[in-house]
Amino acid sequence: MFVHNAEIAAIFNQIADLLEIKGDSPFRIRAYRNAARTIDTLGSGVQTMVEQKQSLEDLPGIGADLAGKMVEIVTTGTCALREQLRHEMPPFIHELLTVPGLGPKRVKTLYQERNIQTLDQLYGAARDGEISHLPGFGRRVEQRILDALQAQRSKSTRFRISTAVQLVEPLIKHLQAVKEVKRIEVAGSFRRRQETVGDIDILVSSPHPEKVVQRFVGFEDIAQIREQGTTRASVVLRQGLQVDLRVVADVSFGSALHYFTGSRAHNIALRALAQERKLKMNEYGIFSGTRRIAGATEESVFKALGLPYIEPELRENRGEFAAARAGQLPVLVELSDLKGDLHAHTKATDGRNSLREMALEAKRRGFSYLGITDHSHRLTVAHGLDAEQLSRQMDDIDRLNAELEGITLLKGIEVDINEDGTLDMPDSILSQLDLVVGAVHGKFDVPRERQTERILRAMDHPHFTLLAHPSGRMILEREPIDVDMPRIIRHAKQRGCFLELNAQPARLDLNDTYCMMAKDEGVMVSVNSDAHSVFDFDNLRFGIGQARRGWLEKGDVLNARGIRQLRALLG
C-alpha cells in the first residue's frame, strides 16, 4: 500500500488537534503542525525516501521522534499516538473537527458548555442561535459554522489540486509500466488546473485496451471498483477520490483528450462551431460525412475548425474563441519565466530554514533574486519580528549579499495590515526596505466597506509594495474576506503597487477571475511561493497554473523580470 504525503500530514494535523484539546504543550502541538506543513508541501514522497533509506531528519523541523512516526505511518498506515489520543477522547471529536471554522478550542467549548456531540446537534444549535453566546464564538462565527454545515450537506467532496497531484502521479507511473500504453494524459479539470477537483479522468491510447484496464483496476491504492469494461473503468481511491479511465485508439487520442478535458461550456461552443461547418465532432474525431479529417492530436482538432491551438487552462468559454479568431490568444506564462520570488520566510519567524539555506535553494532553482519577507511582530503565532530584529536581519542580508554570487536577497517584510489600515511597523524602518508586503492576518469578519477601506488605506502608504494573498481565503477551509476586489485592483493601478498570486495550494490567491481583471486593468501580479522552507518553492507550479487560468502572460508577472527591471519597478 502506497502512503501519500497528504495522508501523513493529515495524521500529524489530527494529532496536533487532539493534543490541543487535551491541553498539551503548545511547543509539542506546534511541532506536529509544522511537520504536517513540511510534509504536505514536500516535492518528494516520504514513502520513497523511507524505501531508499534517506534520512528524514534532514527535513526542516523533523527530529528523531517525528521521523520515527513518519516511518511508522509509512509502514503500518497509521500512528499509535493518534489512536491512543482518539481512545482517550469521545469518538465524535474528530467529526466536529472537520467543520471549517471549528478548531480544537471551539470543539472543546461546544462539548463542555453545550454537550454537542454530533454534526446534527451542532447544526440545530447554530440554526437556533444557541452557540453565539459561547466564549470564542459570536453571531458571525455561528453563521459561518451554519453556512459550512449547509455547504457540506449540499456538495460532493473536492480535493485541492496539490492533493490530487500526489494521488494521481503514482497511478500514472503504474500505468506507464504497461508496454502497450502509447500515450497517457490526465484530462478534466485537473488538466485545466482548476484549484480543486471532484474526480480525475485518465485517457490512454493503446491497441490492447483490456490490458490497460486490467492494470488500472489492479492499482494497490484502490478501495472500490465501480465499473470495469473492455475500454473503460471507474474506481475510488482509498482517500475518496474517484478516478475514471478511458482507453481509445491512437487515431482518436487528440479528439478524446479535448473532449474529456472540457470544460462543458467550451466543448458545447466548439461543437456548435463544427456544426456550422457541417462537420460531426465527438470523442473519436472530426468527420466530414463518414471520413475522419482530424482527431489524432488536439492541434488537428482545432485546425479542422479554423482555430489555433487553445491551451487547456483557457478552455472555460470565457473569450478564448473570440481571441483565437482574432489572433489574440495570450502566450501564457511558464514556470521557467520566473526570475525570482518576492515572498519567502526564514526561521527568524515561522520558516524552517536559514537565510543562507533559502538563498542557496533559490539560486539552485535558477532564480536571480529572493525577497525575504518574514512576519511583523503583531503575528505572534509566527514569532514576528519587531523593528530592532528586522534591522538586524537587514544587516545579515547585506553580509550574505556581499558573499554570495548569482543570487540577490531583497530586504522585505510581510507586515500586518491593522484593522484601521495602518501597517504594523514604523515608517523609519519600512523606508529602508526593498519591498513591503502587506497582508490581512486577522479581523476577517470586518464588514465589506470597512474591510475594503482598511486595505485601500494600507495601499496608500508610501512604502507599500505588494498586497499578499488578497482575499485571505484558505481553499476548502476558510471563505474569502468580504471585500470589493475590483475596487482594490483599480486602486493598485492608481497607486502603482502590485498584487500577489500566492502559490500555496491552500491559497492560490488571487483567483483566476481576479487575475484576468488585474491584467485588463494593467496591474502586475507577482506569483510567489510564500515559502516557509526550501521545499515550498515547489508550489510555484500551482501558482503558475492559476496564473495561466487567469490569462497572464510573462509581461503581466512582476517577478518574471530581471533584477534591474524589478528594482526600477519597486522604486
Side-chain angles (χ1 to χ4, degrees):
M1 179 181 72
F2 193 91
V3 178
H4 300 276
N5 289 6
E7 296 173 280
I8 302 172
I11 290 175
F12 276 10
N13 273 322
Q14 291 163 13
I15 290 173
D17 287 342
L18 295 171
L19 288 174
E20 190 167 345
I21 292 173
K22 187 180 177 182
D24 212 304
S25 161
F27 299 102
R28 189 182 183 199
I29 295 166
R30 190 176 302 119
Y32 277 100
R33 294 212 189 280
N34 288 342
R37 180 171 181 171
T38 294
I39 295 163
D40 198 33
T41 58
L42 195 61
S44 53
V46 170
Q47 177 162 328
T48 302
M49 294 178 69
V50 171
E51 290 170 350
Q52 295 177 353
K53 302 189 184 306
Q54 298 179 38
S55 174
L56 298 178
E57 293 180 49
D58 291 339
L59 299 176
I62 304 297
D65 180 62
L66 290 171
K69 287 183 171 59
M70 291 161 68
V71 173
E72 177 189 2
I73 295 168
V74 165
T75 306
T76 68
T78 187
C79 179
L81 176 60
R82 181 186 64 171
E83 301 312 312
Q84 174 191 332
L85 291 169
R86 281 179 166 178
H87 285 306
E88 291 175 359
M89 297 182 189
F92 58 82
I93 291 293
H94 179 67
E95 186 179 41
L96 293 179
L97 285 169
T98 65
V99 179
L102 276 190
K105 291 181 181 178
R106 284 176 176 156
V107 167
K108 187 175 183 179
T109 299
L110 288 170
Y111 175 57
Q112 292 179 341
E113 300 289 334
R114 296 288 304 169
N115 195 32
I116 290 175
Q117 302 186 24
T118 68
L119 293 182
D120 286 340
Q121 288 176 340
L122 177 61
Y123 181 82
R127 181 195 58 206
D128 297 338
E130 296 176 358
I131 63 175
S132 59
H133 66 282
L134 297 177
F137 285 84
R139 290 185 179 178
R140 290 184 181 177
V141 172
E142 181 179 68
Q143 185 60 49
R144 286 205 302 269
I145 291 171
L146 185 61
D147 292 343
L149 289 170
Q150 289 171 335
Q152 279 187 353
R153 292 181 172 196
S154 63
K155 71 180 182 183
S156 58
T157 302
R158 296 191 68 81
F159 297 79
R160 290 176 186 159
I161 183 68
S162 57
T163 302
V165 167
Q166 290 183 28
L167 300 181
V168 168
E169 285 182 345
L171 177 52
I172 295 300
K173 290 180 181 178
H174 176 78
L175 291 174
Q176 287 172 332
V178 179
K179 64 180 181 180
E180 287 83 6
V181 169
K182 298 191 69 173
R183 287 190 277 177
I184 183 169
E185 288 279 357
V186 183
S189 55
F190 182 96
R191 187 165 180 244
R192 300 198 314 277
R193 290 297 180 260
Q194 283 194 333
E195 56 204 26
T196 65
V197 299
D199 52 36
I200 293 291
D201 300 290
I202 296 178
L203 187 70
V204 172
S205 70
S206 174
H208 299 287
E210 67 285 350
K211 291 185 179 181
V212 180
V213 170
Q214 198 60 41
R215 177 76 174 176
F216 176 72
V217 298
F219 184 55
E220 62 179 0
D221 222 15
I222 289 174
Q224 177 189 2
I225 299 174
R226 287 188 168 177
E227 177 188 351
Q228 181 178 350
T230 56
T231 61
R232 67 182 72 190
S234 179
V235 302
V236 179
L237 302 183
R238 286 186 296 108
Q239 299 78 14
L241 180 65
Q242 180 173 322
V243 183
D244 298 328
L245 171 75
R246 183 71 178 267
V247 188
V248 298
D250 201 54
V251 71
S252 297
F253 187 80
S255 289
L257 182 58
H258 177 271
Y259 179 84
F260 289 109
T261 294
S263 67
R264 184 171 182 271
H266 171 92
N267 285 356
I268 289 173
L270 201 62
R271 283 200 299 272
L273 184 58
Q275 290 169 359
E276 290 175 8
R277 292 174 170 245
K278 301 189 184 305
L279 299 173
K280 178 183 176 183
M281 179 181 181
N282 55 34
E283 64 264 44
Y284 301 106
I286 295 185
F287 300 87
S288 177
T290 59
R291 183 171 63 91
R292 187 199 315 267
I293 62 171
T297 65
E298 284 190 312
E299 287 82 358
S300 72
V301 170
F302 285 111
K303 184 177 181 180
L305 299 176
L307 296 172
Y309 179 76
I310 298 175
E311 296 285 356
E313 296 93 340
L314 301 181
R315 299 178 197 174
E316 301 287 352
N317 198 25
R318 296 189 296 191
E320 67 267 26
F321 294 113
R325 284 190 288 266
Q328 296 176 349
L329 283 172
V331 179
L332 298 178
V333 64
E334 303 276 357
L335 182 60
S336 59
D337 290 328
L338 297 186
K339 305 301 183 186
D341 189 334
L342 296 179
H343 187 168
H345 299 266
T346 74
K347 62 182 181 182
T349 56
D350 61 342
R352 265 83 76 191
N353 290 97
S354 67
L355 268 175
R356 178 182 296 274
E357 290 167 339
M358 294 297 284
L360 292 177
E361 180 62 19
K363 179 181 177 181
R364 187 187 72 79
R365 291 173 184 256
F367 293 156
S368 60
Y369 55 85
L370 177 66
I372 300 299
T373 55
D374 277 311
H375 291 285
S376 63
H377 71 285
R378 178 172 178 175
L379 199 63
T380 54
V381 69
H383 308 289
L385 305 178
D386 60 25
E388 184 178 343
Q389 292 168 323
L390 177 57
S391 181
R392 288 199 296 270
Q393 186 184 70
M394 292 163 64
D395 292 337
D396 292 339
I397 290 174
D398 282 337
R399 283 190 289 270
L400 201 53
N401 278 336
E403 174 187 341
L404 298 177
E405 294 183 359
I407 184 73
T408 298
L409 294 181
L410 299 174
K411 303 170 190 173
I413 187 75
E414 184 180 5
V415 61
D416 267 37
I417 298 175
N418 298 321
E419 188 175 356
D420 63 358
T422 58
L423 301 183
D424 179 37
M425 193 64 72
D427 289 358
S428 57
I429 195 162
L430 293 179
S431 64
Q432 302 175 48
L433 297 171
D434 296 307
L435 71 160
V436 174
V437 177
V440 172
H441 285 127
K443 298 293 183 180
F444 298 118
D445 56 352
V446 171
R448 180 182 180 85
E449 185 62 28
R450 281 173 49 200
Q451 193 75 275
T452 303
E453 290 296 334
R454 168 192 190 180
I455 295 174
L456 295 181
R457 183 178 179 189
M459 294 167 71
D460 282 336
H461 191 285
H463 303 304
F464 190 97
T465 309
L466 177 71
L467 179 61
H469 39 75
S471 81
R473 69 170 182 178
M474 299 292 284
I475 297 171
L476 302 179
E477 293 180 28
R478 184 175 71 211
E479 292 297 313
I481 58 177
D482 189 7
V483 68
D484 188 344
M485 194 62 70
R487 188 176 169 194
I488 286 174
I489 292 172
R490 290 191 294 269
H491 198 70
K493 173 64 174 178
Q494 295 168 6
R495 265 281 292 113
C497 55
F498 313 100
L499 302 176
E500 178 181 72
L501 195 174
N502 190 295
Q504 280 193 40
R507 290 191 184 275
L508 294 180
D509 183 12
L510 289 173
N511 67 23
D512 54 356
T513 301
Y514 290 133
C515 282
M516 295 176 74
M517 187 177 296
K519 177 185 176 74
D520 290 342
E521 292 287 341
V523 176
M524 279 190 284
V525 173
S526 186
V527 182
N528 297 329
S529 67
D530 194 358
H532 285 68
S533 80
V534 293
F535 300 102
D536 289 349
F537 293 118
D538 289 336
N539 291 331
L540 285 167
R541 61 174 170 160
F542 300 114
I544 288 295
Q546 182 83 308
R548 289 168 65 88
R549 286 184 56 77
W551 291 53
L552 297 190
E553 300 178 83
K554 180 179 179 180
D556 303 314
V557 177
L558 178 64
N559 52 324
R561 285 159 171 76
I563 184 67
R564 290 183 180 178
Q565 288 179 298
L566 178 72
R567 284 193 183 280
L569 288 167
L570 296 181

